[in-house]
Amino acid sequence: MIEPRIVEEMRRIVDKYVTEPDLNELLKTFIQDKAAEGSQWSNITRYTHYMLGGDSPRIDLAAAMTEIILLSFDIIDDLQDGDNKEKPWIVCSHAFTLNGILAFLFSFMTEVSVLQESNGQAPLLMEKLGAILSQSINGQQIDLNDSISSESDYLTMIEKKSGSLLRFACSMGYLLIPDLDQRTIHTMDQLANYIGMISQLDNDIRDVLRFDVKNDLLQKKRTLPVLFLLMEKDEHFPYIQQYYNGQLTYNEFVLRKRECIHYIEDSGCIEYCKIIQSLHTDQANQLFESLPGLSPWKEKFKGITFAKQIQEVG
């Protein structure tokens, strides 16, 4: 769960900027739902700050702002994908949800000015954060517009979409540290990109093996395991290609779900994706080991980001 003091800071931000009672209450419902999920975004911001030697009294505010902006991105993602139908931002009026997203975004922009006053890097802060978030939106557009046709396309997309979100969470921590050297910033940004990509590969491996509304095959997404499957020309199981080409309907494809899961498990696509993931994990570990950091925060950061993948590779 998100730490209670971070949740309270998020609620305080809502109270400060959202005065319409029904919208105020709705946004707090969104926050409570996200808090119960076990989000680690605020911890990534806090641990980055502390492991690189930060001691800003504004770090809880920065961590709460990280959670707010990434909750907004989660809501947008759910609206675009049409899944997670039980979420409060899906079951309520979508017009209200859109107002909620705008309220979160503009609250974030205004609160950045408070952080700017405390770190003496006013021009840098909003410029860098805006550029990072714009990259993630570009990655999301690539994911939506069906333009991915190769492993290279996919890796570029997840670096923009998922790597940028990790960079954002880390930047919210280290941009509060005055005079942090550029080499450390560059290493931290590279590390965050790899961690985001590792995490997205994890999600895509998991999602291709589930057969509910979040299954990437049913959504006709082109993730790395799906690209592998689409390249396989198996006359005994042509149904994935036929479904993507429009020769099979959704219902006809779902009827073959048990057969499809067995095919995926035997195809080698999961092993292939894990090899790609392990290469990124090796790169992340090398960057992490070269990064200066204070204990126990450096160990805590690794523990909530990519320690699990290090263990699996080892």
Side-chain angles (χ1 to χ4, degrees), residues 11-229:
R11 292 169 64 90
R12 183 198 64 78
I13 292 170
V14 169
D15 284 339
K16 185 175 179 180
Y17 297 103
V18 183
T19 57
E20 193 60 33
D22 63 332
L23 185 57
N24 180 292
E25 191 57 38
L26 186 64
L27 293 189
K28 288 177 180 175
T29 302
F30 294 176
I31 289 169
Q32 200 55 48
D33 185 273
K34 178 54 64 175
E37 273 188 6
S39 171
Q40 294 284 6
W41 292 117
S42 52
N43 283 332
I44 291 172
T45 292
R46 290 173 60 247
Y47 294 167
T48 299
H49 183 74
Y50 291 139
M51 79 173 180
L52 297 180
D55 61 355
S56 172
R58 302 284 193 179
I59 188 58
D60 281 355
L61 171 60
M65 290 166 63
T66 297
E67 289 287 358
I68 280 177
I69 206 73
L70 292 172
L71 171 55
S72 300
F73 273 58
D74 278 348
I75 294 170
I76 292 167
D77 189 65
D78 285 346
L79 287 173
Q80 291 170 336
D81 289 348
D83 53 14
N84 277 339
K85 295 185 183 296
E86 79 287 353
K87 290 295 183 182
W89 45 83
I90 298 296
V91 299
C92 76
S93 162
H94 286 186
F96 290 179
T97 297
L98 290 173
N99 267 346
I101 293 167
L102 290 172
F104 278 148
L105 296 178
F106 286 117
S107 297
F108 168 81
M109 291 170 60
T110 309
E111 285 296 296
V112 165
S113 65
V114 177
L115 296 181
Q116 289 175 345
E117 293 170 4
S118 66
N119 80 337
Q121 301 183 55
L124 172 64
L125 192 59
M126 195 61 232
E127 179 183 348
K128 174 154 186 169
L129 296 175
I132 293 170
L133 293 174
S134 294
Q135 277 288 86
S136 185
I137 293 167
N138 283 310
Q140 179 73 348
Q141 181 65 19
I142 295 170
D143 194 23
L144 291 170
N145 66 17
D146 201 30
S147 64
I148 298 170
S149 60
S150 67
E151 177 186 307
S152 176
D153 291 341
Y154 169 83
L155 293 174
T156 297
M157 181 275 290
I158 65 170
E159 181 176 2
K160 288 182 176 181
K161 177 183 174 181
S162 303
S164 294
L165 295 183
L166 260 293
R167 281 178 59 204
F168 170 77
C170 294
S171 297
M172 288 295 290
Y174 73 63
L175 286 174
L176 289 183
I177 305 173
D179 303 318
L180 188 64
D181 68 274
Q182 288 301 310
R183 182 176 179 179
T184 298
I185 290 174
H186 181 65
T187 301
M188 197 70 225
D189 285 346
Q190 285 185 300
L191 174 61
N193 273 340
Y194 279 117
I195 293 171
M197 294 171 76
I198 291 164
S199 177
Q200 187 61 55
L201 280 161
D202 237 15
N203 290 341
D204 292 345
I205 290 168
R206 183 174 62 250
D207 288 351
V208 79
L209 287 171
R210 59 191 294 173
F211 239 90
D212 55 21
V213 293
K214 288 185 70 65
N215 178 276
D216 287 333
L217 283 170
L218 294 181
Q219 300 290 333
K220 292 190 177 180
K221 288 191 173 184
R222 294 180 182 270
T223 64
L224 192 61
V226 172
L227 288 172
F228 181 97
L229 294 167

Side-chain angles (χ1 to χ4, degrees), residues 206-212 215 217 229 237 240 253 256-267 269-270:
R206 183 174 62 250
D207 288 351
V208 79
L209 287 171
R210 59 191 294 173
F211 239 90
D212 55 21
N215 178 276
L217 283 170
L229 294 167
F237 197 85
I240 294 174
F253 187 59
R256 294 174 169 85
K257 67 179 183 179
R258 188 184 300 275
E259 194 179 351
C260 188
I261 290 293
H262 289 318
Y263 177 76
I264 292 168
E265 290 174 339
D266 294 339
S267 70
C269 78
I270 302 304

